[in-house]
Amino acid sequence: MKYIYEEKAGPTGPTLLLLHGTGGTESDLLPLAKIIDPDANILSVRGNVLENGMPRFFRRLAEGVFDEEDLIKRTEELHEFLNEASQRIGFDRKQITAIGYSNGANIAGSLLFHYKDSLQKVILHHPMVPRKGIDLPDLTGTEVFIAAGDNDPMCSPEEAEELERLLTNAGANVDIHWESNGHQLTMSEVKAAAGWYAK
């Protein structure tokens, strides 16, 4: 996987895992990391699936309809990449906070749905429920921040609320923050995420 790694906190400090939206690159969310935690290591990954030339983290069959088989495969791929990269680069695998937007939020959510202890904290900007009707691992101790739009045309408020419910029922501590700017990633929600992270 293509990625950028910036060491700031060293091998024992926190690492921010940045996961872009459709058509983005590993450079897109770097400004967010500086707002959320300027002293953390940064691991920013590029999705390795192309949709009409636009990078994504997994395939979809249509807008809002995920290719479930590919989602499972790519989630495993990212999970294994984090395991391998933490050994090779030298960062604490247990101190990863994922920050994902849209498609990046969905792959981060999928890590939570499939792997216990894959992520310590998660900031999901405009996520959807990655998979329906599966049993989630025990997420006790996992901290999750969801930024959702009450008028988001791609990720409905009901979808965000369902994700909050599923994660809470699995034991995660979930906070949800509402905006009214459609599917846009706004500075106000990034600042809200930074305030949540600082707690």
Side-chain angles (χ1 to χ4, degrees), residues 106-122:
N106 294 334
I107 194 81
S110 187
L111 281 172
L112 294 179
F113 270 50
H114 292 97
Y115 297 102
K116 177 179 163 62
D117 300 330
S118 185
L119 301 167
Q120 181 191 36
K121 295 181 183 175
V122 190

Side-chain angles (χ1 to χ4, degrees), residues 22-164:
T22 300
T25 72
E26 63 275 28
S27 300
D28 279 22
L29 300 185
L30 293 175
L32 266 66
K34 291 172 175 55
I35 297 167
I36 303 293
D37 186 351
D39 301 318
N41 302 320
I42 295 171
L43 176 64
S44 190
V45 181
R46 182 188 296 195
N48 51 5
V49 171
L50 288 179
E51 181 184 274
N52 301 320
M54 297 186 298
R56 280 176 57 85
F57 287 98
F58 58 89
R59 285 199 293 267
R60 59 183 169 182
L61 306 174
E63 192 168 289
V65 184
F66 301 160
D67 181 331
E68 199 164 288
E69 191 178 326
D70 192 61
L71 172 63
I72 294 165
K73 177 181 148 190
R74 302 296 176 180
T75 303
E76 181 183 11
E77 195 173 76
L78 180 56
H79 180 70
E80 289 178 354
F81 167 76
L82 294 174
N83 292 341
E84 180 274 323
S86 66
Q87 294 288 316
R88 177 169 47 83
I89 299 169
F91 59 85
D92 187 347
R93 180 67 183 83
K94 292 186 169 67
Q95 286 197 76
I96 295 178
T97 296
I99 305 172
Y101 166 56
S102 193
N103 180 243
N106 294 334
I107 194 81
S110 187
L111 281 172
L112 294 179
F113 270 50
H114 292 97
Y115 297 102
K116 177 179 163 62
D117 300 330
S118 185
L119 301 167
Q120 181 191 36
K121 295 181 183 175
V122 190
I123 296 171
L124 304 173
H125 293 280
H126 303 274
M128 294 173 68
V129 175
R131 289 184 69 198
K132 313 267 184 179
I134 66 164
D135 291 329
L136 273 62
D138 180 4
L139 296 175
T140 302
T142 305
E143 304 286 335
V144 183
F145 177 89
I146 297 173
D150 58 20
N151 59 348
D152 188 330
M154 292 179 71
C155 306
S156 70
E158 294 77 20
E159 184 96 12
E161 286 164 350
E162 184 184 352
L163 181 60
E164 177 190 25

